[in-house]
């Protein structure tokens, strides 16, 4: 991948490499989401899955969010789960219910139904969107590509949707490690092809969302998740920074670091200062304002953003973000204000 000088020296990519910056870069997980009137305007016309599969619209909402917020990176508008369709799973986004898989893997003997993705051709709408976005994005704004990590995807495949206790997923993992390994390896090989194609189409950074792996103990994470994440991250080109993100379990941070990633995501349940110490200062960190802070008045938001910046101690390698995705009904003016606040307070 060849980077232009503008991208190479962008605030965001400098921070990914732990180099000094003029001010702290910021983007917001789910920045092109339902809190944004411009997004809702598009969503009134098309269903969510259509939006994901129409490159012009996916590009439009990606670019609009970056522009109206003034954030330092854009994130491809897509979702974690459509990669599962060409792998043999029947996915639906039911209005108001979130994603549903109609043919979940209910037992170890059904794992063979999940096909490894040999070709990414059926996901060409994603790469077409990447090319359209890259053409229109400001020259110094990197585009983040992403995928779900194998544990998080496996949990959808096995539970058939979102889950509270991951009972079927963990039971399969605990009782049939061979079937678990097969499933994780198929997902990992598929994810590598998918991510390489995103990079090829024009993404400069990759974030891996292991959103639900925080439900695991350190020993289980080490045995059942870490080797697969390490294989995926190791298969990506070293010059493309990887942000490795999970939520809900600060005890896993040293293991996340061992799995790999140039930048480790921190949610709000850990003090950024302690989280960074656990990760090690040779890596960057991303986070970690509690998303619910954005419902408060601007003075409170400013004070709480300052607390995060203070914990980061102006070290190179901090990317400001929420600790998890922005919530759908938060006032959009507050999200915009946060971006300005961070750029102002983070100035060196
Ligand atoms: O960050 C971005 O702006 C990029 C786009 C993005 C979306 N989903 C768009 C989306 C990203 C990176 C995701 C990731 C994702 N998708 C995760 C990881 C999230 C995290 O924060 O850890 C997960 C678990 C999914 C699966 C998924 N997609 C769920 C559970 C839902 C429904 C829940 C909900 O919030 O309604 C979706 C739908 C979805 N993905 C929406 C958006 C904007 C809302 C759909 C709508 O417009 O109605």
């Amino acid at each position: 991948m060849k980077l232009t000088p503008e991208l190479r020296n962008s605030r965001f990519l400098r921070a990914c490499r732990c180099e000094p910056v003029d001010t702290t870069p910021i983007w917001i997980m789910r920045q092109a989401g339902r809190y944004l009137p411009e997004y809702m305007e598009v969503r009134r016309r098309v269903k969510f899955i259509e939006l994901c599969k129409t490159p012009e619209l996916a590009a439009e909402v990606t670019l609009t969010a970056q522009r109206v917020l003034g954030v330092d990176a854009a994130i491809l508008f897509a979702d974690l789960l459509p990669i599962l369709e060409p792998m043999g799973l029947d996915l639906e986004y039911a209005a108001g219910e979130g994603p549903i898989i109609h043919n979940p893997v209910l037992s170890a003997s059904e794992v063979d139904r999940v096909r490894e993705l040999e070709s990414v051709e059926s996901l060409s709408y994603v790469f077409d969107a990447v090319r359209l976005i890259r053409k229109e994005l400001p020259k110094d704004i990197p585009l983040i590509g992403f995928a779900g990590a194998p544990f998080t995807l496996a949990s959808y495949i096995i539970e058939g949707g979102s889950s509270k206790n991951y009972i079927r997923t963990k039971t399969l993992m605990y009782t049939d490690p061979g079937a678990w390994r097969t499933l994780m390896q198929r997902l990992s090989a598929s994810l590598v092809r998918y991510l390489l194609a995103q990079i090829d189409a024009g993404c400069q950074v990759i974030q891996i969302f292991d959103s639900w792996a925080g439900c695991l103990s350190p020993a289980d994470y080490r045995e059942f998740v870490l080797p697969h994440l390490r294989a995926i991250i190791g298969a990506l080109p070293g010059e493309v920074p990887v942000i490795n993100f999970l939520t809900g379990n600060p005890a896993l941070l040293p293991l996340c670091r061992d799995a790999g990633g140039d930048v480790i995501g921190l949610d709000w349940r850990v003090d950024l200062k302690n989280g960074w110490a656990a990760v090690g200062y040779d890596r960057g960190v991303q986070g970690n304002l509690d998303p619910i802070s954005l419902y408060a008045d601007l003075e409170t938001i400013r004070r709480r953003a300052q607390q995060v910046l203070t914990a980061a101690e102006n070290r190179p390698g901090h990317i400001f973000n929420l600790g998890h995705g922005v919530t759908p009904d938060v006032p959009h003016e507050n999200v915009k204000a946060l971006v300005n606040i961070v750029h102002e307070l983070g100035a060196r």
Side-chain angles (χ1 to χ4, degrees):
M1 186 196 55
K2 244 182 87 54
L3 282 181
T4 59
E6 289 90 342
L7 282 170
R8 176 176 302 284
N9 292 315
S10 64
R11 204 180 269 160
F12 191 88
L13 287 182
R14 290 183 66 84
C16 290
R17 299 188 302 258
C18 291
E19 293 170 7
V21 284
D22 58 338
T23 186
T24 303
I26 171 171
W27 71 284
I28 310 279
M29 282 186 272
R30 300 248 179 143
Q31 62 194 22
R34 283 164 293 180
Y35 75 96
L36 206 62
E38 291 87 344
Y39 175 81
M40 286 315 288
E41 174 65 36
V42 176
R43 271 290 273 112
R44 265 190 285 280
R45 289 184 272 137
V46 293
K47 290 207 174 102
F48 174 68
I49 190 70
E50 275 176 69
L51 176 45
C52 290
K53 291 185 178 179
T54 312
E56 293 74 19
L57 292 178
E60 180 191 325
V61 297
T62 301
L63 291 162
T64 303
Q66 190 279 325
R67 191 179 62 244
V68 302
L69 294 176
V71 279
D72 297 288
I75 179 160
L76 165 66
F77 189 84
D79 198 44
L80 254 44
L81 304 177
I83 188 178
L84 300 179
E85 289 181 318
M87 298 182 72
L89 293 141
D90 180 9
L91 170 68
E92 183 193 352
Y93 292 90
E97 282 187 61
I100 300 173
I101 306 259
H102 291 292
N103 56 347
V105 165
L106 296 175
S107 66
S109 62
E110 291 185 44
V111 162
D112 269 341
R113 226 179 348 96
V114 180
R115 294 190 296 270
E116 183 178 318
L117 190 70
E118 307 277 354
S119 157
V120 293
E121 212 173 309
S122 57
L123 299 166
S124 60
Y125 57 86
V126 174
F127 319 121
D128 289 342
V130 169
R131 280 184 280 268
L132 289 175
I133 297 163
R134 191 58 271 172
K135 243 194 323 209
E136 299 292 328
L137 261 186
K139 302 254 171 296
D140 59 346
I141 299 293
L143 175 59
I144 305 170
F146 70 90
F151 177 86
T152 294
L153 293 179
S155 79
Y156 280 100
I157 292 173
I158 298 168
E159 307 290 340
S162 304
S163 176
K164 191 153 170 249
N165 291 319
Y166 307 96
I167 293 172
R168 287 215 297 257
T169 307
K170 288 186 177 184
T171 303
L172 189 138
M173 191 169 91
Y174 297 154
T175 58
D176 197 332
W180 177 258
R181 197 176 320 111
T182 301
L183 179 59
M184 293 297 268
Q185 283 171 347
R186 273 182 206 170
L187 284 165
S188 301
S190 309
L191 287 163
V192 167
R193 292 192 185 102
Y194 181 50
L195 290 171
L196 286 174
Q198 290 184 31
I199 292 168
D200 216 39
C203 292
Q204 286 73 45
V205 183
I206 294 295
Q207 174 152 325
I208 298 180
F209 286 88
D210 213 352
S211 308
W212 310 146
C215 69
L216 297 173
S217 70
D220 288 337
Y221 181 91
R222 187 185 290 113
E223 179 175 353
F224 296 113
V225 170
L226 190 153
H228 306 287
L229 262 182
R230 184 180 279 159
I232 294 170
I233 295 171
L236 300 178
E239 68 272 19
V240 177
V242 173
I243 305 170
N244 182 359
F245 172 77
L246 66 70
T247 69
N249 192 346
L252 299 183
L253 288 173
L255 295 170
C256 268
R257 174 206 53 215
D258 291 349
D262 305 83
V263 178
I264 305 295
L266 303 177
D267 78 12
W268 68 93
R269 297 170 183 88
V270 63
D271 274 344
L272 189 142
K273 193 173 167 164
N274 298 338
W276 206 342
V279 162
Y281 295 118
D282 57 330
R283 308 288 179 95
V285 291
Q286 174 174 285
N288 74 341
L289 185 71
D290 184 341
I292 306 308
S293 309
L294 290 174
Y295 292 86
D297 55 281
L298 290 186
E299 207 178 307
T300 304
I301 293 173
R302 191 180 175 86
R303 179 163 41 80
R304 295 178 64 86
Q306 180 64 66
Q307 287 165 357
V308 172
L309 290 166
T310 301
E313 300 176 316
N314 275 351
R315 281 177 200 277
H318 177 216
I319 294 168
F320 200 106
N321 205 318
L322 304 178
H324 205 168
V326 60
T327 44
D329 59 354
V330 82
H332 61 96
E333 314 82 40
N334 290 5
V335 185
K336 292 175 188 165
L338 174 69
V339 175
N340 292 329
I341 287 169
V342 168
H343 283 156
E344 181 202 326
L345 297 178
R348 309 296 198 262

